[in-house]
Amino acid sequence: MNIGERFKQLRTEKRMSMRELADSLDVSHAQVSKVEAGKITPSVDFLNKAADYFNVSISYFFMEKIELMDVSGLTVDGIKISDEEKESMIQLVRKRRG
């Protein structure tokens, strides 16, 4: 997942339009659109604003895969959880924080 995809994911999880987010970050709609589409690389200032707004670290935008903790041995009802279930858990936490 690239920077634009991560940015879009955060925006859509909050159910915001590009315009709403642009207004919140005090940037142009075009800039948000171009970042999400991967047409431009966001500035450090842009990333700082986005990280503060979404309550994530700047490094979040550059991570290959989000790892909250090692849950490889986690079981539910004696059955090891799958990668799909791990991802569902991450999404649930994000929604509750949203």
Side-chain angles (χ1 to χ4, degrees):
M1 192 178 284
N2 65 36
I3 294 171
E5 290 168 333
R6 289 199 182 279
F7 189 76
K8 182 177 182 178
Q9 180 182 25
L10 289 170
R11 178 181 62 77
T12 57
E13 284 175 2
K14 286 198 172 270
R15 295 186 174 102
M16 298 181 77
S17 70
M18 285 186 196
R19 272 197 206 288
E20 290 171 325
L21 183 58
D23 290 344
S24 295
L25 298 180
D26 195 30
V27 299
S28 71
H29 170 266
Q31 188 175 9
V32 170
S33 177
K34 288 177 183 177
V35 167
E36 286 190 8
K39 293 181 179 180
I40 62 170
T41 301
S43 67
V44 173
D45 184 52
F46 182 95
L47 289 174
N48 273 323
K49 288 178 182 181
D52 286 345
Y53 183 79
F54 289 117
N55 198 29
V56 298
S57 68
I58 288 181
S59 63
Y60 169 83
F61 295 103
F62 301 97
M63 298 168 93
E64 285 296 316
K65 186 176 180 183
I66 301 170
E67 294 291 337
L68 299 180
M69 64 182 204
D70 181 13
V71 292
S72 58
L74 184 64
T75 62
V76 175
D77 298 326
I79 301 169
K80 187 175 175 179
I81 64 169
S82 68
D83 288 340
E84 186 176 289
E85 290 168 323
K86 289 177 200 176
E87 189 61 35
S88 294
M89 289 169 43
I90 291 168
Q91 295 303 318
L92 176 63
V93 169
R94 284 185 180 144
K95 284 181 183 177
R96 288 182 172 234
R97 289 180 181 172

